[in-house]
């Protein structure tokens, strides 16, 4: 029998390479000169940016300029940086904030009004906005005699020292450490300081928050403390009156006249308080106190309709407290009244006060004035 032979496989070459293997690509190398140029360009750009930043931080090559800025009480660091940039004192808000974060400068910045300039670097700007800064703006203000607390606060607000709201809050709630304020002036009402903000000329820092308002009011109360020393307090006590009583009487005198007859008006007040005759029976009947109570020009009807302890036509004796802040002349008049038998006075057509012992005399003169 014949045998079938199996089919032969074709021979493979011994060293054939796989057709699927990719060819290796040559790496293209960057021209070393081009690479070096790129590195130099990037370095120069970064150095230029760094130099610009350094120039801003150190206040280098800045055009001379100055600006008056105000840091508000609740201003954030971003607010401060924006104000500085808007006034041309810095170029980069973010850089300034980073500087303040690293140096803890934010803790030094105090509300107020400051005069700054472009010669100041970041550190100088921060120090110039601190509470002890010599760049903090000041203003000289004269408080007129007879101004009320409300008038004083409005004036301080107008001059940029503090806001009316801040001053009212501090006056009502801060416990000022003066003996004559204890007991008779409870906290809660800003009018408690009426009479004790001594009229004078003061130098105040501009701007500032609550702490600045405390310093402003404390300065004026301290001036009263200096002008009304122990000797005058003893004199008041020997007369049978407290400091509060004397200040209240002085304020009535201050608001009733700005002339040279203050001791005579003082005598009318004391005569009515201490020796009430059958006509006055202890009522002071002072219009200025009623004006203080109403806050407006009074009418004839107000004498009987305004129910207030400041209405001295309805309530006997002194009102609860001062109606203004008296000056030294009025205070001395309250301590040294003239010795008279006067119970009445009226402003004549000659713009002076005329004094009378009886109501009939007063009425007769009043009839001559007309109107």
């Amino acid at each position: 029998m014949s045998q079938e032979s199996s089919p032969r496989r074709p021979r493979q070459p011994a060293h054939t390479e796989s057709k699927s293997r990719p060819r290796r690509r040559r790496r293209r190398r960057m021209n070393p000169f081009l690479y070096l140029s790129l590195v130099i360009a990037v370095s120069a750009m970064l150095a230029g940016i760094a130099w610009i930043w350094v120039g801003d931080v150190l206040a280098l090559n800045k055009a001379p300029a100055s600006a008056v800025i105000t840091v508000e009480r609740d201003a954030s660091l971003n607010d401060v940086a924006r104000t500085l940039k808007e006034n041309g004192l810095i170029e980069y808000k973010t850089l300034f904030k980073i500087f303040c974060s690293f140096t803890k400068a934010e803790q030094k910045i105090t509300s107020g009004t400051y005069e700054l300039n472009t010669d100041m670097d970041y550190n100088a700007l921060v120090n110039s906005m601190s509470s002890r800064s010599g760049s903090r703006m000041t203003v000289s203000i004269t408080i007129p005699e007879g101004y009320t607390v409300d008038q004083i606060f409005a004036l301080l607000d107008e001059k940029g020292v503090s806001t009316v709201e801040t001053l009212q809050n501090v006056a009502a709630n801060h416990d000022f450490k003066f003996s004559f304020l204890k007991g008779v002036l409870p906290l809660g009402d800003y009018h408690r300081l009426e009479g004790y903000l001594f009229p004078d000329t003061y130098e105040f820092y501009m701007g500032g928050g609550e702490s600045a308002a405390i310093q402003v009011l404390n300065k004026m109360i301290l001036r009263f403390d200096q002008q009304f020393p122990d000797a005058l307090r003893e004199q008041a006590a020997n007369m049978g009156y407290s400091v509060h009583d004397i200040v209240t009487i002085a304020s009535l005198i201050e608001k009733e006249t700005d002339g040279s007859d203050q001791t005579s008006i003082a005598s009318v007040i004391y005569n009515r308080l201490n020796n009430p005759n059958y006509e006055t029976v202890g009522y002071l009947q002072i219009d200025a106190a009623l004006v203080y109570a109403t806050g407006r020009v009074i009418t004839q009807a107000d004498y009987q309709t305004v129910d207030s302890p400041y209405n001295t036509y309805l309530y006997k004796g002194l009102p609860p407290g001062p109606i203004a802040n008296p000056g030294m002349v009025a205070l001395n008049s309250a301590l040294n009244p003239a010795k008279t038998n006067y119970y009445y006075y009226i402003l004549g057509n000659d713009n002076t006060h005329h004094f009378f012992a009886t109501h009939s005399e007063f009425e007769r003169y009043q009839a001559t004035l007309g109107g």
Side-chain angles (χ1 to χ4, degrees):
M1 276 180 74
S2 62
Q3 251 181 345
E4 291 184 3
S5 60
S6 59
R8 295 181 180 177
R9 297 179 179 176
R11 292 182 178 178
Q12 296 287 338
H15 301 290
T16 58
E17 293 183 356
S18 171
K19 293 181 180 180
S20 62
R21 184 178 296 174
R23 294 182 178 180
R24 292 181 180 176
R25 295 179 180 179
R26 287 185 178 181
R27 292 183 179 177
R28 294 181 179 180
R29 294 184 178 178
M30 181 180 288
N31 185 308
F33 296 103
L34 179 61
Y35 178 76
L36 181 60
S37 299
L38 181 62
V39 170
I40 292 173
V42 171
S43 299
M45 181 180 68
L46 293 176
I49 293 173
W51 178 249
I52 292 173
W53 286 354
V54 168
D56 200 43
V57 173
L58 300 180
L60 302 176
N61 302 317
K62 288 187 176 182
S66 62
V68 174
I69 70 157
T70 297
V71 178
E72 301 294 345
R73 175 184 174 187
D74 299 320
S76 65
L77 181 58
N78 188 63
D79 294 331
V80 174
R82 183 178 64 251
T83 300
L84 293 175
K85 179 173 174 56
E86 289 174 349
N87 285 275
L89 298 167
I90 64 171
E91 291 294 330
Y92 305 102
K93 293 193 304 179
T94 301
L95 186 62
F96 180 78
K97 290 192 288 185
I98 292 172
F99 171 86
C100 291
S101 296
F102 275 103
T103 60
K104 297 182 179 180
E106 187 176 3
Q107 300 172 8
K108 300 179 183 178
I109 298 175
T110 305
S111 57
T113 299
Y114 305 92
E115 185 173 15
L116 309 175
N117 60 67
T118 51
D119 287 334
M120 297 176 175
D121 58 22
Y122 280 10
N123 189 58
L125 287 171
V126 169
N127 289 333
S128 295
M129 291 184 286
S130 67
S131 59
R132 300 181 181 225
S133 167
S135 299
R136 193 171 181 184
M137 297 285 289
T138 62
V139 60
S140 179
I141 299 179
T142 298
I143 308 297
E145 296 173 344
Y147 257 35
T148 64
V149 163
D150 286 315
Q151 289 175 307
I152 291 174
F153 289 177
L155 180 61
L156 294 174
D157 193 328
E158 176 191 335
K159 297 296 185 180
V161 174
S162 187
T163 66
V164 168
E165 181 183 4
T166 301
L167 291 164
Q168 288 178 346
N169 180 62
V170 169
N173 301 307
H174 184 75
D175 188 13
F176 293 94
K177 304 302 181 183
F178 293 92
S179 60
F180 49 83
L181 297 181
K182 303 300 180 184
V184 295
L185 299 168
L187 295 172
D189 184 345
Y190 69 87
H191 292 98
R192 59 191 288 270
L193 296 187
E194 194 79 83
Y196 299 96
L197 304 181
F198 194 79
D200 207 341
T201 298
Y202 298 92
E203 193 82 10
F204 293 124
Y205 284 115
M206 296 179 66
E210 187 172 299
S211 60
I214 291 173
Q215 293 175 0
V216 167
L217 297 180
N218 196 76
K219 193 171 189 176
M220 288 188 281
I221 301 170
L222 178 61
R223 189 67 55 86
F224 173 88
D225 188 40
Q226 295 167 341
Q227 295 296 317
F228 204 88
D230 289 342
L232 297 185
R233 298 174 204 187
E234 291 174 8
Q235 183 178 346
N238 292 335
M239 295 170 62
Y241 291 94
S242 67
V243 172
H244 195 63
D245 292 334
I246 295 299
V247 176
T248 300
I249 294 169
S251 73
L252 296 172
I253 297 169
E254 190 78 75
K255 296 302 285 186
E256 282 291 285
T257 180
D258 57 2
S260 59
D261 53 7
Q262 295 191 5
T263 57
S264 295
I265 289 180
S267 75
V268 172
I269 292 173
Y270 281 112
N271 286 339
R272 288 188 172 219
L273 287 175
N274 300 328
N275 307 298
N277 63 16
Y278 69 95
E279 294 172 324
T280 61
V281 293
Y283 292 101
L284 293 183
Q285 297 177 316
I286 292 179
D287 286 1
L290 188 53
V291 170
Y292 183 78
T294 60
R296 57 173 171 76
V297 176
I298 57 175
T299 66
Q300 191 68 31
D302 290 331
Y303 295 133
Q304 299 302 320
T305 59
V306 175
D307 187 9
S308 167
Y310 287 91
N311 186 349
T312 54
Y313 287 84
L314 293 181
Y315 290 83
K316 293 182 179 182
L318 290 173
I323 63 170
N325 294 275
M328 208 61 230
V329 173
L331 286 166
N332 280 323
S333 297
L335 288 168
N336 303 283
K339 304 296 182 182
T340 74
N341 63 344
Y342 298 147
Y343 283 84
Y344 303 91
Y345 60 87
I346 190 171
L347 189 66
N349 292 332
D350 56 359
N351 207 35
T352 61
H353 283 108
H354 296 259
F355 296 85
F356 310 95
T358 67
H359 189 259
S360 59
E361 292 174 334
F362 170 80
E363 283 188 322
R364 282 196 298 272
Y365 181 80
Q366 187 179 36
T368 67
L369 300 179

